[in-house]
Amino acid sequence: MPRILAVAPVLPDNVHEQHEITAELAGRLSGDRAARSVLERVHAASGIKTRHLALPLERYRDLDSFSETNALFAELALPLIERAVRTALAEADLKVEDVDHLFFTTVTGVQAPSLDAMLASSLGFRSDLRRVPSFGLGCVAGAAGIARVADYLAGHPTGVALLVSVELCSLTLQWSDQSMANIVGTGIFGDGAAAVVMTGDAHPAAVAAGSSRPRVIASRSALYPDSSEMIGWQIGSTGFTLMLAAGVPALIDGHFAAGVDALLAEAGIERSDVDRWIAHPGGPRILESFTAALNLPPAALDTSWEVMARTGNLSSAAVLHVLAAVGDQPAGTRAVLFALGPGVTAELVLLEWS
């Protein structure tokens, strides 16, 4: 079974406390005193203490076109993923030329050739590198990426693969959007990236790692019915306008536990056999809904809450930051890693340190 050898989370250098970001945005995003009060209340209730931004905070007031922000995405995202990949490969004691397969994901910038091609050129990957760039999975893509890379490595047991995620959510800022979705989005999303090194189970690095690194035991996907307009983007001349419906917690309540139980049943175990729950920190209501749906104790998702407080919701990179924070576990530890994204889609991955 494929093994995760290294997870490298990275963040931009511009870090601000939540109240600083709120103050900077409030003047232009809220048209009157009542609207400003709503924005301040929503931001304060997010559970987020700090967020990292791709640009210095004062630069955002001058951004006024999709062309500008999309160009900035390519310029600023590439150094982040270069740093993440170098760090992850060094931790796994592997080199760039060892990598056979690259799954790249983002939902906050668009290029062709995609950013992974620029990454391959800048770091010197082999010319026969298999690349799979992904756009549109959104917040679910960190979990989906691990699952899809594991699928590839199941057929290539001596292979080395990279999952690379980068999201510069701050560059999607819509100054003219007065919707509640935009108010919530400006209060929870941050910028960041991550790289994950995975190998097939017959690769020497996987054998050497032993139980100190988790194996991917199984995965499961679910596309929830009648939910296509609940999470995602409307993309137009000004860029990315957030869709974020209030009904997402109800979807979790209605569908999520059954998917988890089906995943565990495939492995012959139950919820009580799971030691760690690695949840995408999508926001307070999302984490609360996961906890309630699975009937977990209050502390079960503490690592996700802690990562969210430090960084905000990093979209596809967020659950990878949580995985990195979980770190090494004792042999025999089982964990379920999971996320939601546009679709609405759920991705579930069963991990075991064994």
Side-chain angles (χ1 to χ4, degrees):
M1 295 175 181
R3 194 177 292 273
I4 296 172
L5 293 191
V7 185
V10 299
L11 296 164
D13 293 333
N14 304 297
V15 58
H16 295 276
E17 294 186 9
Q18 179 78 326
H19 68 86
E20 295 179 276
I21 298 173
T22 302
E24 178 67 23
L25 300 182
R28 285 189 62 181
L29 280 176
S30 51
D32 55 38
R33 190 180 187 87
R36 182 179 184 122
S37 178
V38 170
L39 183 144
E40 291 173 342
R41 185 170 65 252
V42 168
H43 283 207
S46 67
I48 295 167
K49 297 179 180 178
T50 57
R51 285 186 280 164
H52 292 250
L53 305 178
L55 292 170
L57 183 55
E58 64 275 7
R59 283 281 307 277
Y60 289 90
R61 67 187 70 163
D62 299 321
L63 299 181
D64 62 0
S65 77
F66 183 34
S67 296
E68 181 183 13
T69 55
N70 201 50
L72 282 168
F73 175 86
E75 174 188 336
L76 299 171
L78 183 59
L80 283 179
I81 58 175
E82 288 173 341
R83 176 153 54 99
V85 168
R86 288 192 182 102
T87 302
L89 287 173
E91 182 180 333
D93 198 22
L94 293 170
K95 299 177 180 178
V96 169
E97 52 266 30
D98 296 323
V99 178
D100 306 299
H101 180 82
L102 170 59
F103 185 101
F104 170 76
T105 188
T106 188
V107 76
T108 52
V110 182
Q111 289 83 31
S114 51
L115 199 61
D116 55 298
M118 303 176 197
L119 175 71
S121 177
S122 67
L123 292 188
F125 284 90
R126 299 195 323 256
S127 61
D128 64 343
L129 175 72
R130 294 178 174 93
R131 296 187 300 111
V132 181
S134 164
F135 179 91
L137 288 171
C139 293
V140 81
I146 288 176
R148 299 296 84 77
V149 169
D151 292 342
Y152 168 82
L153 290 171
H156 299 80
T158 61
V160 176
L162 272 173
L163 164 62
V164 177
S165 159
V166 62
E167 304 290 6
L168 303 187
C169 304
S170 67
L171 294 179
T172 68
L173 178 63
Q174 297 288 310
W175 286 116
S176 61
D177 183 3
Q178 304 292 317
S179 69
M180 181 55 70
N182 193 45
I183 289 173
V184 172
T186 61
I188 64 172
F189 286 103
D191 298 342
V196 181
V197 178
M198 298 173 61
T199 65
D201 58 4
H203 191 280
V207 176
S211 62
S212 66
R213 296 291 187 268
R215 298 161 66 205
V216 178
I217 304 300
S219 65
R220 186 176 181 87
S221 304
L223 182 62
Y224 297 157
D226 303 318
S227 61
S228 60
E229 296 185 359
M230 285 192 167
I231 304 174
W233 296 125
Q234 292 178 330
I235 303 176
S237 60
T238 62
F240 301 100
T241 299
L242 184 64
M243 296 190 301
L244 189 61
V248 176
L251 276 180
I252 295 173
D253 294 341
H255 299 281
F256 189 72
V260 170
D261 290 341
L263 171 73
L264 299 179
E266 292 174 12
I269 62 175
E270 300 177 346
R271 285 185 227 171
S272 58
D273 298 309
V274 176
D275 304 292
R276 299 297 301 260
W277 299 91
I278 303 172
H280 166 66
R285 291 190 65 194
I286 299 301
L287 289 178
E288 290 165 357
S289 296
F290 285 146
T291 301
L294 296 174
N295 195 27
L296 298 176
L301 303 186
D302 275 0
T303 305
S304 296
W305 283 99
E306 291 163 4
V307 169
M308 187 178 71
R310 292 197 305 269
T311 70
N313 178 352
L314 304 177
S315 189
S316 66
V319 77
L320 305 179
H321 281 240
V322 179
L323 177 60
V326 166
D328 292 342
Q329 296 291 311
T333 299
R334 296 188 182 102
V336 177
L337 179 148
F338 53 91
L340 291 183
V344 169
T345 300
E347 289 283 346
L348 315 168
V349 182
L350 177 61
L351 304 175
E352 185 174 8
W353 281 255
S354 63

